[in-house]
Amino acid sequence: MIERNLGQIAEMLGGSLCDPNYKDVKISGVSTDSRTIQENNLYIPLVGEVFDGRLFVKECEDKGASAFLIDRDYEIKNNISIPYIRVDDTLKALQDLARSYRKELNVKVIGITGSNGKTTTKDLLYEVLSTKYKTQKTIGNLNNEIGVPKTILSLNEDTEIAVVELGTDKFGDISLTSNIALPDIAIITNIGDSHLHNLKSKEGILKAKMEIVEGLSDDGIFIYNGDDETMKKEIDSYKVDQKIISFGLEDDNDFVVKEIPSTPAKVSFSHDGETYDIPLLGRHNIYNGACCLLIANILGLDTNEVKSGLVKVRPANNRSSMIELDGFDVLDDSYKSNPQSLRSGLATCKLLDGYNNKIVVLGDMLELGDKEDELHYEVGLDIDPKDIHYCLFFGDLSYHMYKGALNNFPKDRAFHFTDKDDLIDKLKSFITKSTLVFVKGSHGMHMEEIIESIRSLKL
């Protein structure tokens, strides 16, 4: 984490230290949250529509914070005694401090964006690169205008590689965070239907994701999924001065891997005569693994280092993780949903053998824009009654998924709910010995609550 004195922090920010006598006060790490502040942290209070971190400065002082940042015109209460630095805007100061710290570090940054696969690719890279280098990664989902600066500021001085996830909701988001992270390698995993409400089309999504190259170092490398239809069609329209490498299963890519038939416990692929195994579910993870292998090759890892790293990865919470319960299993993919990732999840369900009964519990896919009804309907239409026994849909938008499913399912095998408790009651009635329950929906639908409700079910 960042360790500097207040004189250095003020210089990095162009801020005004309250008293020059405090210039040698040391800070270790930063925090924007009074609930998790640590001793000797620099507290950076943020202000939003429904919160004001400036109200908690005294609490942070009591918990051991060394100092804090504050707006130039904000009146500080008399009961606060720790030093402070005046800045124009605390959020911008957080971002400026991270950018300045990044420039001082001798670290190679790998920036990752994409509609799907960011977190899994990040985790794969972390496990693989950690076999050779001191590596840090984005923790959790800290991938926005606040999370990326906090990730950069969490890096230790001796970190050799940082794997940083960059997310987006609108144009300009990744432009900002890329110019903070300043990646040496920039990756786009794929282009899906997420955030269509703001970005309008897959071409718009690609435009937003391509902002990642704005902060890419002059001698950096841009890597993208060459099998992705949108990127394949549009990538040549973008001017990228740095080296470009495409990866995928198709032979026209710069870096090609070959699919090997998977088992329920892992996916496998080959490259240059070597086979690589990843203990994750879903064919889409071949692409995540291929990207990881490509970067490992660029950074000089040998085959054994890559293989030993890949097998260490585990599913992130609520992301294609298998939960074994009393006589039945839950495939928990409840963290997020969009048409691309949902179809991948359904394909994974089809591959999983040994179940007498398969149930899908699907919630709304949010932020899909003007075509949200149509996109839900099309996914429902694609659900195959030969693979799935029962479909339970939750939410207003999922009604269109339900209507699509009714083209192939009888009404005693497909159901729509607007009340989660009613859905849970129906789901419990369908679960028998050797059942697989697949749960997926956008984060805002809180589909994880459904999983929690059946954890204690005894058959």
Side-chain angles (χ1 to χ4, degrees):
M1 70 182 74
I2 184 171
E3 294 185 338
R4 297 288 187 273
N5 63 45
L6 287 185
Q8 293 169 320
I9 296 291
E11 186 175 343
M12 293 166 80
L13 290 174
S16 303
L17 182 58
C18 63
D19 184 334
N21 291 323
Y22 290 117
K23 65 182 177 61
D24 293 325
V25 171
K26 295 281 198 283
I27 67 100
S28 296
V30 304
S31 175
T32 61
D33 190 339
S34 61
R35 297 167 298 182
T36 57
I37 193 90
Q38 300 292 312
E39 190 171 356
N40 297 322
N41 276 176
L42 172 69
Y43 178 51
I44 304 180
L46 302 179
V47 180
E49 292 183 3
V50 296
F51 66 90
D52 187 344
R54 298 172 300 190
L55 302 176
F56 304 100
V57 172
K58 180 59 178 174
E59 178 183 338
C60 292
E61 178 181 5
D62 293 342
K63 291 180 177 179
S66 289
F68 62 99
L69 304 185
I70 199 69
D71 307 89
R72 293 192 188 277
D73 57 353
Y74 188 78
E75 184 176 349
I76 298 171
K77 294 181 179 179
N78 292 331
N79 65 342
I80 295 171
S81 59
I82 57 173
Y84 56 88
I85 297 173
R86 292 279 189 184
V87 296
D88 292 330
D89 177 88
T90 52
L91 174 58
K92 186 175 184 301
L94 170 68
Q95 296 163 351
D96 290 345
L97 182 61
R99 185 183 297 108
S100 181
Y101 183 58
R102 163 67 181 99
K103 290 178 180 178
E104 294 180 0
L105 293 175
N106 183 25
V107 61
K108 190 174 290 292
V109 173
I110 301 170
I112 306 174
T113 191
S115 297
N116 299 294
K118 294 187 296 296
T119 298
T120 302
T121 302
K122 173 195 71 178
D123 291 343
L124 286 168
L125 281 167
Y126 173 78
E127 294 294 351
V128 169
L129 298 178
S130 292
T131 64
K132 186 178 180 72
Y133 300 103
K134 181 165 185 182
T135 306
Q136 288 183 249
K137 66 174 180 176
T138 297
I139 301 301
N141 199 35
L142 294 176
N143 62 15
N144 63 8
E145 75 279 6
I146 298 172
V148 171
K150 290 172 74 172
T151 296
I152 296 299
L153 292 167
S154 74
L155 300 178
N156 296 320
E157 299 264 4
D158 60 349
T159 295
E160 296 173 287
I161 296 179
V163 187
V164 181
E165 187 176 326
L166 310 181
T168 185
D169 286 320
K170 60 186 183 301
F171 294 114
D173 285 351
I174 293 177
S175 175
L176 172 67
T177 53
S178 178
N179 278 291
I180 293 170
L182 301 174
D184 299 284
I185 298 174
I187 305 163
I188 300 181
T189 57
N190 52 51
I191 302 298
D193 297 303
S194 303
H195 309 304
L196 283 172
H197 66 304
N198 283 330
L199 304 177
K200 303 306 180 186
S201 65
K202 286 188 174 181
E203 290 75 18
I205 294 169
L206 174 59
K207 182 180 179 181
K209 302 295 185 185
M210 284 297 295
E211 293 173 2
I212 196 171
V213 302
E214 293 181 21
L216 183 61
S217 61
D218 291 342
D219 59 350
I221 302 172
F222 171 57
I223 294 172
Y224 73 97
N225 181 340
D227 290 357
D228 183 275
E229 291 299 324
T230 304
M231 284 193 278
K232 186 183 298 186
K233 183 175 66 173
E234 300 288 335
I235 200 70
D236 288 341
S237 66
Y238 290 88
K239 185 178 185 301
V240 179
D241 295 327
Q242 295 88 342
K243 183 177 182 180
I244 301 175
I245 305 175
S246 64
F247 68 91
L249 294 167
E250 298 175 10
D251 290 337
D252 57 351
N253 285 296
D254 301 311
F255 186 84
V256 179
V257 301
K258 298 298 182 184
E259 182 176 4
I260 294 175
S262 302
T263 72
K266 66 181 181 181
V267 295
S268 302
F269 62 92
S270 65
H271 178 75
D272 280 352
E274 294 285 348
T275 297
Y276 299 87
D277 299 322
I278 306 175
L280 297 175
L281 300 172
R283 179 179 183 268
H284 55 281
N285 281 307
I286 293 175
Y287 287 97
N288 300 329
C291 180
C292 180
L293 176 60
L294 167 58
I295 292 171
N297 287 353
I298 292 170
L299 296 178
L301 276 74
D302 64 34
T303 300
N304 290 333
E305 288 168 331
V306 175
K307 289 183 177 182
S308 66
L310 288 176
V311 298
K312 293 178 184 176
V313 76
R314 295 294 180 266
N317 289 340
N318 309 128
R319 298 174 190 261
S320 295
S321 57
M322 187 67 77
I323 303 171
E324 297 180 359
L325 298 175
D326 182 33
F328 67 100
D329 295 339
V330 174
L331 179 55
D332 177 6
D333 203 11
S334 60
Y335 183 78
K336 73 171 195 175
S337 188
N338 56 56
Q340 185 183 31
S341 65
L342 177 49
R343 286 188 171 93
S344 293
L346 291 168
T348 300
C349 285
K350 180 178 180 178
L351 290 174
L352 293 173
D353 296 326
Y355 295 100
N356 298 325
N357 184 26
K358 292 183 180 180
I359 305 169
V360 296
V361 183
L362 307 177
D364 293 353
M365 301 178 289
L366 304 177
E367 302 181 353
L368 295 184
D370 295 339
K371 294 185 177 181
E372 59 185 6
D373 295 354
E374 178 184 342
L375 291 168
H376 279 80
Y377 182 88
E378 289 173 352
V379 172
L381 191 62
D382 287 346
I383 302 174
D384 193 334
K386 296 192 297 296
D387 303 325
I388 304 298
H389 296 86
Y390 297 103
C391 302
L392 280 64
F393 301 98
F394 172 67
D396 294 338
L397 289 171
S398 75
Y399 178 75
H400 302 284
M401 216 181 321
Y402 164 69
K403 295 297 287 185
L406 287 180
N407 285 273
N408 300 310
F409 284 81
K411 286 193 173 182
D412 62 350
R413 290 176 58 191
F415 305 87
H416 177 258
F417 300 88
T418 56
D419 183 280
K420 197 174 285 182
D421 289 335
D422 291 343
L423 183 152
I424 291 167
D425 289 340
K426 178 65 75 172
L427 174 61
K428 288 179 177 179
S429 73
F430 286 148
I431 295 175
T432 57
K433 289 284 188 181
S434 193
T435 290
L436 174 68
V437 182
F438 173 51
V439 181
K440 190 168 180 65
S442 281
H443 193 57
M445 300 304 293
H446 300 290
M447 301 297 284
E448 71 279 359
E449 296 172 351
I450 295 171
I451 297 171
E452 291 307 311
S453 73
I454 60 175
R455 277 186 182 271
S456 59
L457 184 64
K458 302 296 182 184
L459 299 181

